[in-house]
C-alpha cells in the first residue's frame, strides 16, 4: 500500500516563507513525476509545480520566481519551498506522485491528505 504524507503547512504572514514536504512510503517499484497542487477556498484544485524523475520542473505562472520544487529520490520525498508568500497563496496544498507499486502493476497517481497553508497578517 502506497501512502503520501505531507507536512510543513501552517500560518504565515505575507512575505514570509514555508517549506512543505511529502514523503512516499510503502510498496514503490518506481517513483516517477511528483508535484504539488492547491485548492484555494471556494475554488477548484490547481497545479502549483511538478518535477520529473530527471529533475525537470514546471511551475504555475502565479508562483514562478517565488516557489521552488525539489526532490530527494533516496528519501522518496518531494519538497516545495515557498517564499514571498501572498494572501492569495492561501489554500490546502496536496502532494501528488505517479508511482508503479510493483513490477506487475501499472503506474497510477497517488495523493496526499492535504496540508493547510494560510497567509495572513
Amino acid at each position: 500500500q502506497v501512502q503520501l504524507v505531507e507536512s510543513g503547512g501552517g500560518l504565515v504572514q505575507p512575505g514570509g516563507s514555508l517549506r512543505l514536504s511529502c514523503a512516499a512510503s510503502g510498496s514503490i517499484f518506481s517513483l516517477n513525476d511528483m508535484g504539488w497542487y492547491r485548492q484555494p477556498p471556494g475554488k477548484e484544485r490547481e497545479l502549483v509545480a511538478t518535477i520529473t524523475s530527471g529533475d525537470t520542473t514546471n511551475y504555475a505562472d502565479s508562483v514562478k520566481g517565488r516557489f521552488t520544487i525539489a526532490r530527494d529520490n533516496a528519501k522518496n520525498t518531494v519538497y516545495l519551498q515557498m517564499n514571498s508568500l501572498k494572501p492569495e497563496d492561501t489554500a490546502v496544498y496536496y502532494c501528488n506522485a505517479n508511482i508503479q507499486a510493483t513490477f506487475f502493476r501499472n503506474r497510477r497517481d497517488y495523493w496526499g491528505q492535504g496540508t493547510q497553508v494560510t497567509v495572513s497578517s
Side-chain angles (χ1 to χ4, degrees):
Q1 192 78 352
V2 175
Q3 279 190 317
L4 300 182
V5 179
E6 298 139 339
S7 61
L11 173 65
V12 63
Q13 292 186 342
S17 298
L18 280 176
R19 188 193 194 207
L20 305 183
S21 300
C22 172
S25 62
S27 175
I28 300 174
F29 176 75
S30 69
L31 183 58
N32 307 301
D33 293 0
M34 304 183 79
W36 291 93
Y37 292 72
R38 67 187 182 187
Q39 187 164 14
K43 296 185 179 180
E44 296 187 350
R45 192 174 298 189
E46 61 186 22
L47 179 145
V48 176
T50 61
I51 184 168
T52 69
S53 57
D55 287 338
T56 298
T57 59
N58 178 55
Y59 295 92
D61 288 343
S62 60
V63 307
K64 281 181 182 177
R66 301 188 298 122
F67 291 11
T68 302
I69 189 170
R71 63 191 286 168
D72 183 336
N73 291 326
K75 296 181 179 180
N76 291 338
T77 298
V78 63
Y79 305 96
L80 185 68
Q81 177 66 43
M82 305 185 292
N83 298 328
S84 302
L85 282 161
K86 304 175 181 179
E88 51 263 43
D89 294 317
T90 295
V92 178
Y93 283 70
Y94 295 92
C95 172
N96 170 271
N98 185 267
I99 294 172
Q100 184 177 356
T102 71
F103 177 80
F104 300 102
R105 290 191 175 181
N106 294 328
R107 298 178 177 185
R108 55 156 285 195
D109 281 345
Y110 291 84
W111 291 89
Q113 79 284 0
T115 185
Q116 178 70 46
V117 171
T118 302
V119 185
S120 175
S121 55

